[in-house]
Amino acid sequence: MARLTFLGAAQTVTGSQYLLEAGGERLLVDSGMFQGEKELRLRNWAEPEFDPAKVDAMVLTHTHLDHIGRVPRLVKQGFRGPVYCTPATRELAEVLLLDAAHLQQEDAAYLNRKGLTRHSPALPLFEETDVNEAMALFRPVPLGRPQEVNDTFSFTYRDAGHLLGAASAEVRVLEDGRETRVFFSGDVGRFDAVLTKDPELALESDYLVVESTYGNRTHPAIPVLDQLEGVLKRTFARGGVLLIPAFAVGRAQQMIYLMDQLVTEGRVRAFPIHVDSPMAIDATRIYAAHPEGSKVSLNNIGGRSLLHGKWVHLHRTRAESEALNTMKGPAVIISSSGMLAGGRILHHCRVRLPHPENTLLITGFQAAGTLGRALLDGAHVVRIHKGDVAVLAEVRDLKGLSGHADAGEMMRWLSAVRAAPKAVFVTHGEAEAAAALAARIARERGFEARVPAHGDRVDLTPGEPGRPDPEVP
Ligand SMILES: [Zn+2]
């Protein structure tokens, strides 16, 4: 009998990792990094609950670090199988993982240099060489094409509409001639979102593993452009700088696109946009190279590339980044990481937060325990690099730009599932959000919905024998 073990993103939003075992074979779906609370982050350092050398393959849903960030370490620990992902995910993953390796190496070096660590020396989770070894195992698989892993496992990717290359994975487990279908949602995007396409609806399966980041919330319907226009005008009237922490992949491109729209529509006078993130620059190049993945081509808006627009300035080196410290408004700085969990944005926060003319604009989900969450919760003083930083700048939350479906959209995503699955496992949400979505699925659809805990293991009973093959689009 197949078994499914929840090794991450159980009652939390990070660290996605699911282990499927059947017929003596093992398959991991996602292997993400834990982020946020220290107790969670320590799990990144823990020995895996399985022998990485005995895992046959990995299937990654998308490129966010909380879905792929443990891959290089697993390779270092002996994993040698193929790592399946979509073609765009492969390109983006290389950029993201290399950046993560550099950030960890830089942060460790900074802590060691300043004597700010109790560990001597502080170490990165993985390094550039680990990433290069991992990337050699990546195998791109396009959306909609069934992929055989071995005699036991096969899978098909479906567009999850979450960001470029993001997919849900329909995994089929064949054991003793009987098939069990397990549908992993990955991160499900929004309907009618900026740039990204609508998610493909969930398919009927024996089991569903469903994300619940916003399982207890409804995204407000305030138009994003109106909110952004207000924030820009207020900040610029004060002569301030608008600081935007943004995930380099997806969110940074959306923000450049939205600001370009405001200027094009004549709602805001042109202003310099400083993209202070080598990763965001690389990611935008990949976005432009995969026009099929977006609703609009980033590379051809008004006949020019957004990235090379007259007002967009790109900053790759550390010196270029530091030169921004003395810059006066009006101007925008886009930098990562999106949850203020590390990276150059921390230096900009240290410089900009103590001044009331500036604005910090949060543009995405902030996990509990992150600096972004503390700022959103109204902290007057925050700790950055072990120093106190006063928060006098305006802190705002740009609503409606989330890459995740809200509770109602998750129900819409499930609407094509007619026959009740044997169970729906609600994951990738903080405990309350997961419980709320599970309750709603049970109430509105009558499906058995559970919220697994970290380490939970369930036996999966196979579907009916002789069921016809799923349709290939
Ligand atoms: Zn994601």
Side-chain angles (χ1 to χ4, degrees):
M1 194 180 285
R3 285 202 306 190
L4 172 63
T5 310
F6 299 89
L7 298 173
Q11 300 177 27
T12 186
V13 290
T14 64
S16 281
Q17 189 180 59
Y18 308 101
L19 178 65
L20 265 173
E21 296 167 279
E25 311 276 351
R26 290 176 190 82
L27 178 77
L28 278 174
V29 176
D30 282 342
S31 278
M33 198 183 270
F34 288 99
Q35 295 162 322
E37 305 278 7
K38 189 170 189 184
E39 181 194 323
L40 282 174
R41 283 184 280 123
L42 286 174
R43 284 193 190 154
N44 294 322
W45 294 93
E47 286 301 308
E49 293 86 340
F50 48 85
D51 179 357
K54 293 190 174 144
V55 173
D56 300 275
M58 283 195 236
V59 173
L60 305 181
T61 60
H62 66 286
T63 200
H64 280 147
L65 279 187
D66 63 317
H67 293 258
I68 67 168
R70 277 193 273 171
V71 174
R73 200 168 162 79
L74 286 170
V75 172
K76 191 153 88 172
Q77 290 166 330
F79 173 81
R80 287 292 173 270
V83 179
Y84 297 104
C85 63
T86 65
T89 294
R90 194 213 166 283
E91 288 181 50
L92 291 168
E94 180 158 29
V95 172
L96 266 158
L97 288 173
L98 283 174
D99 182 82
H102 291 155
L103 274 181
Q104 289 176 55
Q105 285 167 280
E106 273 181 27
D107 283 352
Y110 180 87
L111 293 173
N112 290 330
R113 201 166 59 237
K114 300 270 177 179
L116 294 176
T117 176
R118 283 181 289 118
H119 311 279
S120 52
L123 294 172
L125 259 177
F126 54 85
E127 299 178 65
E128 196 178 327
T129 48
D130 304 320
V131 174
N132 291 335
E133 274 181 44
M135 290 316 301
L137 302 175
F138 275 53
R139 301 281 178 271
V141 176
L143 295 173
R145 192 180 82 188
Q147 173 70 43
E148 188 174 289
V149 175
N150 50 35
D151 290 346
T152 306
F153 299 114
S154 59
F155 69 94
T156 308
Y157 281 132
R158 312 282 169 185
D159 197 337
H162 171 61
L163 87 164
L164 184 64
S168 302
E170 185 198 21
V171 178
R172 292 174 296 278
V173 185
L174 192 64
E175 205 178 16
D176 304 327
R178 300 185 71 184
E179 189 187 66
T180 310
R181 288 182 299 176
V182 191
F183 196 91
F184 292 87
S185 72
D187 287 3
V188 178
R190 303 203 59 193
F191 294 89
D192 304 314
V194 178
L195 284 183
T196 49
K197 290 183 187 170
D198 284 356
E200 283 184 54
L201 301 181
L203 297 174
E204 289 189 357
S205 284
D206 298 302
Y207 295 90
L208 286 155
V209 179
V210 174
E211 75 121 317
S212 59
T213 311
Y214 287 98
N216 56 351
R217 278 189 265 181
T218 302
H219 293 311
I222 319 163
V224 173
L225 276 177
D226 294 355
Q227 298 173 60
L228 184 60
E229 179 183 3
V231 170
L232 285 167
K233 283 183 167 163
R234 237 180 7 256
T235 307
F236 293 167
R238 297 192 297 253
V241 169
L242 179 65
L243 192 55
I244 305 179
F247 292 105
V249 178
R251 188 52 39 80
Q253 290 76 30
Q254 284 177 322
M255 292 310 299
I256 297 170
Y257 171 71
L258 288 169
M259 289 188 282
D260 184 85
Q261 271 199 309
L262 283 175
V263 173
T264 304
E265 291 175 13
R267 294 166 68 171
V268 180
R269 283 178 54 187
F271 52 88
I273 301 170
H274 297 273
V275 181
D276 184 24
S277 162
M279 184 167 51
I281 298 166
D282 291 337
T284 308
R285 174 178 48 76
I286 296 168
Y287 261 76
H290 290 272
E292 76 286 355
S294 301
K295 280 197 292 206
V296 290
S297 169
L298 276 172
N299 210 27
N300 191 26
I301 292 163
R304 63 180 162 77
S305 161
L306 271 184
L307 248 200
H308 299 105
K310 188 171 143 198
W311 296 91
V312 181
H313 306 277
L314 311 177
H315 304 274
R316 275 194 186 268
T317 67
R318 181 162 271 245
E320 286 169 348
S321 173
E322 282 166 2
L324 293 172
N325 289 350
T326 52
M327 179 184 70
K328 298 260 186 290
V332 169
I333 298 173
I334 300 176
S335 191
S336 52
S337 76
M339 287 198 214
L340 301 105
R344 290 180 180 179
I345 191 67
L346 294 184
H347 297 280
H348 292 300
C349 280
R350 206 162 30 100
V351 172
R352 302 290 170 180
L353 289 181
H355 302 285
E357 69 272 23
N358 300 324
T359 303
L360 177 77
L361 184 63
I362 302 280
T363 60
F365 182 81
Q366 305 296 308
T370 59
L371 176 60
R373 173 62 76 88
L375 285 161
L376 266 186
D377 288 346
H380 295 295
V381 178
V382 288
R383 297 283 287 174
I384 296 177
H385 293 145
K386 310 239 165 171
D388 285 335
V389 176
V391 184
L392 293 173
E394 186 182 343
V395 177
R396 285 281 157 167
D397 186 9
L398 188 68
K399 296 188 171 73
L401 204 53
S402 170
H404 291 271
D406 66 14
E409 287 170 311
M410 286 307 297
M411 297 310 292
R412 178 173 168 188
W413 181 79
L414 282 167
S415 63
V417 179
R418 303 258 177 243
K422 288 173 187 149
V424 179
F425 301 108
V426 181
T427 62
H428 199 290
E430 284 169 19
E432 277 174 35
L437 187 65
R440 187 163 173 182
I441 292 170
R443 191 174 63 241
E444 293 183 13
R445 300 301 313 276
F447 298 165
E448 189 196 332
R450 293 183 232 162
V451 179
H454 186 84
D456 275 5
R457 179 171 297 189
V458 291
D459 290 331
L460 307 179
T461 53
E464 298 308 310
R467 187 173 44 206
D469 283 340
E471 281 173 41
V472 180

